[in-house]
């Protein structure tokens, strides 16, 4: 059974129960007020007929009416009238008799001097013998009978009962009020059913349709999550799941494209040194290297290409492990200034042999402790400097290192005065295997993985790496590391260093 049918049945049941409770309450109230279950009929007469009298009042009125028809002068006997009035007093009613314009008898029950002026005129046809009237704020219901005395004079006999104005209005409007109450209950239940349907069933329908879309493989839709109730929270969680699934599918497709591109790039970068090695080996086999000098040259070239090939395979392996988050990081408290001193010392002579001046640009006087993995951070610095040396085109080639520190971060800058990077190449320099088109033939060296590896390592440290460049003037590479103020060891940098 669907939720919609269950809700419809439940609210229909609530409606029926409400009506039954209303009827039962009305019945119990009537019994409590009258004290007799048989007086329900009297209660109906009192409250639903136009001019109500109780059964006792009606009985006395019929006796008086009979007397008016058969012995009208008997209604002039004051003692007899007092007896009838006494009977009416016991049921909180009273007797009034008139002859022409004069009063014959008036019950002391009313205590109303203006009563005679508000009584209805004579109607000897007795077309309307029951009605109501009010004197000020006091309200009366009566039954009357008009007749003629033996001498032909007009007379009337009244049985009068005082009623509450509110009770009379309620009596008159009670059927309307009951219908209105039933209507309110029905409308309220219908509106409640509609509201519950709109707020529960419709969102669940949308959720079901969304699940069907996902089952069909369609993730490009949006699920409305405007409500803040439990259904809205469920829809929001489902929408977040859809987005994550869409991102996962897109990532998988992107990974597939990257895998194809990686295979293509690896094939290209491995083919070049392998082709060169094969060419020189074939030259040796064909006897082209027919002198010891040529043989040494061919062997040295083959060795150099094999070293490049080994380096490329090593970088591919490292990048792959970094990309898959399979390389563990071991962090130590390191003085970044002393660390860069060691890096400059180690590279100084190799750079000098290539005509490149590698030096500090304003070395800090005090140490700056950071948290770093020494081996991987050294690989980052060497990759950045190694990448910079391939693009030096000035007679005086310079690479400068500097450090700026804030309360939380240390920023390292490595600047060169090379040819710079064009604006269209800047967004891609940290992509794997990316090289500017003019150097795609590897004439300038490099595997195209150096900066991609550096990016993976710095992000593994929780830092950030970026570049700024002016074509024709040079490029600056920046990376940040988290500072630490914790006292203790500072890695392996405790000795003296030569500063450049």
């Amino acid at each position: 059974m669907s939720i919609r049918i269950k809700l419809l049945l439940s609210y229909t049941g609530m409606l029926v129960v409400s009506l039954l409770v209303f009827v039962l309450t009305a019945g119990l109230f009537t019994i409590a007020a009258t004290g007799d279950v048989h007086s329900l009929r009297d209660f109906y007469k009192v409250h639903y007929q136009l001019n109500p009298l109780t059964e006792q009042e009606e009985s006395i009125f019929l006796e008086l009416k009979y007397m008016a028809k058969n012995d009208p002068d008997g209604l002039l006997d004051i003692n007899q009238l007092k007896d009838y009035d006494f009977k009416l007093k016991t049921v909180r009613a009273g007797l009034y008799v008139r002859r022409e314009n004069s009063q014959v008898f008036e019950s002391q029950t009313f205590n109303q001097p203006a009563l005679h002026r508000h009584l209805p005129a004579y109607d000897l046809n007795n077309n309307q013998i029951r009605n109501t009237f009010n004197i000020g704020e006091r309200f009366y219901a009566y039954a009357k009978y008009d007749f003629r005395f033996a001498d032909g004079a007009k007379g009337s006999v009244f049985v009068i009962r005082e009623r509450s104005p509110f009770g009379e209005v309620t009596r008159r409007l009670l059927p309307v009020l009951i219908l209105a109450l039933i209507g309110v209950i029905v409308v309220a239940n219908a509106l409640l059913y509609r509201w519950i349907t709109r707020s529960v069933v419709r969102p669940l329908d949308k959720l079901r349709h969304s699940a069907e879309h996902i089952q069909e493989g369609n993730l490009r839709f949006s699920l409305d999550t405007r409500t803040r109730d439990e259904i809205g929270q469920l829809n929001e969680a489902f929408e977040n799941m859809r987005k994550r699934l869409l991102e996962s599918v897109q990532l998988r497709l992107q990974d597939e494209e990257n895998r194809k591109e990686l295979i293509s790039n690896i094939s290209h970068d491995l083919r070049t040194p392998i082709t060169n090695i094969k060419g020189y080996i074939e030259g040796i086999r064909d006897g082209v290297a027919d002198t010891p000098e040529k043989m040494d040259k061919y062997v040295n070239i083959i060795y150099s290409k094999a070293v490049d090939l080994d380096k490329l395979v090593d970088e591919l392996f490292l990048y792959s492990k970094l990309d898959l988050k399979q390389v563990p990081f071991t962090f130590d408290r390191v003085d970044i200034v002393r660390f860069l001193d060691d890096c400059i010392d180690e590279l100084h002579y190799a750079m000098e042999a290539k005509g490149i001046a590698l030096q500090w640009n304003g070395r800090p006087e005090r140490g700056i402790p950071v948290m770093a993995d020494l081996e991987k951070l050294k690989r980052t610095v060497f990759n950045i400097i190694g990448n910079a040396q391939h693009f030096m085109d000035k007679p005086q080639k310079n690479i400068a290192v500097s450090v700026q520190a804030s309360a939380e971060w240390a920023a390292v800058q490595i600047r060169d005065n090379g040819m710079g990077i064009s604006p269209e190449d800047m967004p891609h320099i940290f992509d794997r295997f990316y090289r500017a088109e003019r150097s795609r033939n590897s004439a300038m060296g490099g595997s195209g993985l150096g900066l991609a590896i550096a990016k993976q390592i710095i992000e593994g440290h929780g830092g950030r790496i970026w570049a700024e460049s002016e074509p024709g003037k040079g490029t600056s590479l920046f990376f940040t590391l988290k500072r630490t103020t914790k006292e203790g060891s500072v890695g392996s940098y405790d000795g003296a260093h030569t500063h450049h």
Side-chain angles (χ1 to χ4, degrees), residues 76-358:
L76 297 175
D77 185 350
I78 300 300
N79 292 326
Q80 188 174 12
L81 294 178
K82 287 182 178 179
D83 291 338
Y84 279 113
D85 183 54
F86 179 77
K87 295 178 182 179
L88 290 172
K89 280 184 179 180
T90 60
V91 292
R92 293 175 293 179
L95 177 65
Y96 186 91
V97 179
R98 68 181 177 181
R99 175 186 170 91
E100 292 294 342
N101 294 325
S102 62
Q103 170 184 306
V104 176
F105 180 84
E106 179 180 359
S107 173
Q108 298 298 316
T109 303
F110 308 128
N111 191 24
Q112 183 59 261
L115 180 64
H116 67 280
R117 293 199 302 270
H118 294 82
L119 294 176
Y122 286 101
D123 176 19
L124 296 176
N125 294 322
N126 290 301
N127 293 320
Q128 187 175 21
I129 64 174
R130 292 177 174 82
N131 210 332
T132 60
F133 65 91
N134 63 290
I135 303 175
E137 296 182 356
R138 299 178 70 177
F139 190 84
Y140 298 90
Y142 68 86
K144 78 174 180 70
Y145 184 76
D146 294 330
F147 60 94
R148 289 186 182 275
F149 287 97
D151 59 1
K154 292 183 292 185
S156 298
V157 57
F158 291 85
V159 174
I160 302 174
R161 183 185 184 94
E162 185 175 359
R163 299 285 186 191
S164 165
F166 177 77
E168 181 61 21
V169 171
T170 303
R171 180 187 66 81
R172 289 177 179 270
L173 298 181
L174 191 59
V176 177
L177 292 175
I178 291 176
L179 292 177
L181 179 59
I182 294 174
V184 168
I185 293 175
V186 172
V187 172
N189 278 272
L191 292 176
L192 186 60
Y193 170 74
R194 177 179 173 81
W195 176 71
I196 291 295
T197 300
R198 291 176 62 90
S199 61
V200 175
V201 177
R202 287 190 179 181
L204 290 178
D205 281 341
K206 290 183 179 179
L207 194 61
R208 178 175 59 82
H209 291 314
S210 300
E212 290 173 353
H213 285 312
I214 292 178
Q215 184 179 5
E216 295 168 359
N218 175 23
L219 294 171
R220 298 187 178 277
F221 64 90
S222 180
L223 185 62
D224 185 15
T225 57
R226 287 179 295 178
T227 59
R228 296 290 91 191
D229 55 10
E230 290 80 0
I231 299 295
Q233 293 171 4
L234 176 61
N235 286 346
E236 184 176 1
F238 192 90
E239 175 68 4
N240 291 335
M241 181 189 71
R242 182 196 67 81
K243 291 178 180 178
R244 293 292 298 273
L245 284 174
L246 180 60
E247 291 173 1
S248 177
V249 170
Q250 292 175 335
L251 183 60
R252 181 172 60 82
L253 294 175
Q254 184 62 43
D255 285 344
E256 183 66 20
E257 290 297 320
N258 291 342
R259 185 184 65 82
K260 294 178 182 178
E261 181 185 356
L262 178 61
I263 292 173
S264 175
N265 289 330
I266 290 175
S267 300
H268 179 279
D269 284 71
L270 291 178
R271 186 181 297 115
T272 301
I274 291 174
T275 301
N276 290 333
I277 290 173
K278 287 173 61 178
Y280 284 106
I281 291 176
E282 288 175 359
I284 293 174
R285 290 176 61 184
D286 294 342
V288 175
D290 52 1
T291 65
E293 291 80 10
K294 285 186 178 181
M295 181 62 73
D296 288 342
K297 179 181 178 181
Y298 275 39
V299 170
N300 288 334
I301 292 175
I302 291 171
Y303 178 77
S304 175
K305 295 299 179 181
V307 169
D308 291 343
L309 190 60
D310 181 66
K311 182 179 179 182
L312 176 60
V313 171
D314 177 62
E315 290 192 336
L316 281 170
F317 183 65
L318 176 60
Y319 179 82
S320 177
K321 292 180 68 176
L322 287 169
D323 195 39
L324 295 174
K325 311 294 188 218
Q326 293 180 349
V327 178
F329 283 76
T330 304
F331 294 103
D332 293 310
R333 185 173 180 270
V334 177
D335 182 351
I336 190 64
V337 177
R338 293 183 179 181
F339 169 80
L340 292 173
D341 282 339
D342 275 1
C343 292
I344 293 172
D345 285 345
E346 188 171 341
L347 293 172
H348 174 69
Y349 294 106
M351 293 293 105
E352 192 176 61
K354 298 177 182 180
I356 300 173
L358 176 62

Side-chain angles (χ1 to χ4, degrees), residues 35-93:
D36 184 5
V37 68
H38 297 293
S39 62
L40 281 172
R41 184 180 62 230
D42 295 336
F43 181 83
Y44 176 83
K45 291 180 180 179
V46 169
H47 291 283
Y48 292 87
Q49 289 184 349
L50 182 63
N51 299 300
L53 286 179
T54 65
E55 187 174 346
Q56 292 172 293
E57 292 167 353
E58 187 72 18
S59 176
I60 296 173
F61 173 70
L62 291 176
E63 289 183 20
L64 293 170
K65 181 179 177 182
Y66 180 81
M67 184 183 295
K69 288 181 178 180
N70 298 289
D71 182 20
D73 290 342
L75 293 175
L76 297 175
D77 185 350
I78 300 300
N79 292 326
Q80 188 174 12
L81 294 178
K82 287 182 178 179
D83 291 338
Y84 279 113
D85 183 54
F86 179 77
K87 295 178 182 179
L88 290 172
K89 280 184 179 180
T90 60
V91 292
R92 293 175 293 179

